[in-house]
Amino acid sequence: MHTPSAHDDAHPYLRAATAGVRHHTRALTPSETKPGKPADRPNLDVLHAHLAALLQLLDRLADSTRPPHPAAGRHLATAHTRLWQATSEVHAAFHLLPSNTVAEAEASVCHPEQFPEGPPVLTICQRHLAAGHVVRRKTTPTDLRPHTTACVR
């Protein structure tokens, strides 16, 4: 008889998160009656939180996969690095978007070591700093260089 473990219980939550991302993508997709909506700070803050959670998941998967399956573990570690680069770009885009208030604009300069005036700046900068510490412990500066692929047509 199979009893569900914590590992088995995680899959429905991951499926629900994926469904949530798909739903959000459909909601943002322009149509004939509704123009596309540009990104805003709250949207990017939530997306950054999702990416940071995926970073943790990929990190744990790479660590547990690497000993029995080194090649697969390396691919997962590479995916982790690429996801970190995407997370960094979302963080940078967040700071380039206009803020709603003057106080938020002044607080939007990224100083994760300080406590900014309030969310979402506090949330995204603190989260990004924490994720960056994990990434830098496990990767080299060469690994973190932007990844480019040539388009062959």
Side-chain angles (χ1 to χ4, degrees):
M1 181 174 179
H2 176 71
T3 50
S5 67
H7 178 22
D8 293 336
D9 292 342
H11 294 286
Y13 294 107
L14 192 53
R15 281 191 209 85
T18 302
V21 169
R22 285 185 187 136
H23 173 76
H24 193 69
T25 302
R26 282 191 303 272
L28 291 173
T29 302
S31 67
E32 290 181 17
T33 59
K34 170 185 79 153
K37 181 182 167 196
D40 59 12
R41 285 177 158 218
N43 191 348
L44 291 185
D45 181 47
V46 172
L47 178 59
H48 188 274
H50 189 76
L51 292 172
L54 285 173
L55 275 170
Q56 288 180 337
L57 177 60
L58 266 175
D59 185 42
R60 292 200 175 102
L61 285 171
D63 285 350
S64 63
T65 303
R66 195 173 289 121
H69 306 287
R74 281 192 302 274
H75 280 285
L76 291 172
T78 299
H80 180 265
T81 301
R82 302 298 176 250
L83 185 59
W84 165 249
Q85 291 166 336
T87 305
S88 290
E89 294 301 328
V90 169
H91 178 248
F94 172 90
H95 285 292
L96 292 174
L97 288 176
S99 57
N100 296 332
T101 65
V102 174
E104 188 180 312
E106 291 170 2
S108 70
V109 176
C110 187
H111 295 287
E113 70 284 354
Q114 299 173 0
F115 289 105
E117 294 300 313
V121 178
L122 170 68
T123 314
I124 194 168
C125 293
Q126 296 278 329
R127 183 186 323 114
H128 197 70
L129 180 66
H133 283 304
V134 172
V135 169
R136 286 182 180 85
R137 273 197 324 253
K138 296 186 174 200
T139 56
T140 67
T142 302
D143 293 335
L144 294 176
R145 283 197 192 121
H147 176 67
T148 57
T149 21
C151 180
V152 180
R153 285 194 167 197

